[in-house]
Amino acid sequence: MKPETRSQMVAAALIMIGAVVVIYFLPSLVLWIGQYSPALAFIVGGILLLGFFWIFWLRARYQRRR
């Protein structure tokens, strides 16, 4: 296995683990924030969900440049 391939696998695994943790805690986090402000809960939930796709988009841009 090439070192470059291994690095890509580790990066993808860390991103996926981070996404799973965020998605696991997202409902309770949004409900907790929703007690104070439903609009803020909506915004935080949207940012966390879009953040998952944003990370992969940034990684693809970085890989394309290299």
Side-chain angles (χ1 to χ4, degrees), residues 14-30 44-52 55:
L14 289 174
I15 292 169
M16 290 302 293
I17 289 170
V20 167
V21 168
V22 167
I23 291 171
Y24 180 78
F25 289 111
L26 184 64
S28 57
L29 178 67
V30 168
V44 168
I47 288 171
L48 288 175
L49 285 177
L50 289 175
F52 175 71
I55 288 172

Side-chain angles (χ1 to χ4, degrees), residues 53-64:
F53 297 105
W54 181 69
I55 288 172
F56 278 114
W57 177 75
L58 282 177
R59 178 128 175 93
R61 260 183 82 186
Y62 174 74
Q63 291 296 327
R64 221 177 307 133

